Amino acid sequence: MEPMDKLDPERIEERLEAGRFFHTFHVLDEVTSTNEVLASWATEKNIGEGTLLAAERQTAGKGRMGRSWVSSPHQSLTFSFLCPNYFPESPGFITVGVALACTVGIEKETGLSPDIKWPNDLYLGTRKVAGVLAQTVSSPGPALMVVGVGINVNAPPPSGAAPFAAPPTCLREAAGRAIDRSLLLASLLEEIGETALRLARGDARFVAEGLRQRSLLIGARAKFEWKKRCYEGRVTDHTDDLAIRLETPEGIVTLPGETAHLVSFRRS
Ligand code: BTN
């Protein structure tokens, strides 16, 4: 049995510079879902951007497309934060921007270089290690998003997690050593905070550039659904507005990031 590692808010706070994006954070032992709880705080308590909620355990963690997110308590990171809806027409910039920030934070802390499976998953090789879920929040003040991140750090999810083509992995397995979750969270928050400040300045170009460098899909054969049609081919690029370029037998098609759905993919 592993000793119970606890997130240490003081050590996390120490690493974050004053005056940066994150100004308030809460670490709770158990919640239903950090996205759900933080969204309700934003609605009911008028809590705003730069607030973070991390939990050691989620009893009803949520994933994209109505899926659930299951992770090992005290061995994972599950946290959410509030930020303005910087690009209401293209919320994908927040999802991909945060995924990108997580790849950088993970790399700095562990030496591992995850790829991004557009638009919100982090992979190590063929196995998923983390996911991002951004949702709009109805709040009394300006439009907000709640953005949640789940990372398998020192253990993969227990059985019962949503089925994947390959079993999910964790950072520890790939790095060959246990990872200090408090240090990792501090590193992620530095990168995510930096990303939020850039997006707030209207700078979004770096998101597509970063995605191209870390994309798991470029070069892969993939199947998408869009407007009730199926598209199959080889992914050639991500456009500046995060659409997918797909080379199909009928020619190149561009599938919008917000509404196209990735059904399956295979890297050769
Ligand atoms: C996905 O891969 O589909 C997204 C997973 C996002 C999981 C995180 S864990 C913290 C936050 N709270 C949730 O309920 N979900 C997100």
Side-chain angles (χ1 to χ4, degrees):
M1 183 76 183
E2 298 280 340
M4 201 168 77
D5 173 27
K6 279 199 151 207
L7 284 172
D8 181 348
E10 275 175 26
R11 282 174 66 219
I12 299 164
E13 207 153 13
E14 241 161 49
R15 281 265 305 261
L16 297 178
E17 283 173 45
R20 307 297 286 182
F21 179 74
F22 291 104
H23 52 77
T24 309
F25 58 94
H26 307 266
V27 178
L28 296 181
D29 202 47
E30 182 175 299
V31 295
T32 47
S33 145
T34 54
N35 266 36
E36 192 176 278
V37 171
L38 200 52
S40 74
W41 289 358
T43 309
E44 293 154 19
K45 303 184 186 175
N46 207 1
I47 277 170
E49 66 174 283
T51 305
L52 178 103
L53 169 64
E56 296 286 10
R57 179 195 307 265
Q58 295 188 122
T59 54
K62 297 183 189 331
R64 269 183 91 237
M65 323 265 319
R67 290 190 277 258
S68 57
W69 179 261
V70 181
S71 53
S72 296
H74 294 277
Q75 307 289 340
S76 317
L77 285 176
T78 47
F79 63 92
S80 304
F81 64 92
L82 294 168
C83 67
N85 194 352
Y86 298 114
F87 303 97
E89 302 306 313
S90 312
F93 280 112
I94 296 180
T95 305
V96 178
V98 170
L100 197 55
C102 289
T103 64
V104 177
I106 288 172
E107 187 158 15
K108 285 191 176 164
E109 214 46 51
T110 67
L112 300 167
S113 303
D115 292 321
I116 297 175
K117 193 198 88 185
W118 170 95
N120 74 314
D121 290 336
L122 268 58
Y123 270 62
L124 288 167
T126 55
R127 295 168 68 188
K128 179 162 168 168
V129 70
V132 177
L133 176 66
Q135 299 173 296
T136 50
V137 171
S138 55
S139 57
L144 286 175
M145 303 283 287
V146 60
V147 187
V149 177
I151 304 180
N152 305 324
V153 181
N154 286 320
S159 55
F164 293 95
T169 189
C170 66
L171 299 178
R172 179 186 190 152
E173 199 173 318
R177 65 176 173 90
I179 308 297
D180 183 320
R181 290 181 312 136
S182 297
L183 287 185
L184 175 62
L185 180 54
S187 179
L188 294 167
L189 297 182
E190 281 171 354
E191 299 305 322
I192 294 171
E194 194 58 40
T195 295
L197 295 176
R198 286 182 82 170
L199 294 175
R201 293 195 294 268
D203 171 10
R205 221 183 149 77
F206 73 98
V207 177
E209 279 161 12
L211 175 61
R212 284 184 201 110
Q213 283 165 20
R214 302 258 184 181
S215 175
L216 188 68
L217 291 189
I218 292 181
R221 293 204 61 79
K223 187 170 165 182
F224 292 87
E225 260 171 29
W226 182 53
K227 291 194 170 173
K228 298 191 176 153
R229 266 198 65 186
C230 216
Y231 296 84
E232 255 185 291
R234 195 175 61 87
V235 177
T236 58
D237 200 7
H238 299 279
T239 65
D240 284 349
D241 53 2
L242 305 182
I244 288 268
R245 283 249 160 78
L246 190 71
E247 189 177 43
T248 72
E250 290 80 41
I252 299 272
V253 290
T254 304
L255 301 171
E258 304 308 329
T259 46
H261 167 55
L262 173 65
V263 179
S264 60
F265 73 102
R266 182 168 41 85
R267 282 168 62 90
S268 42

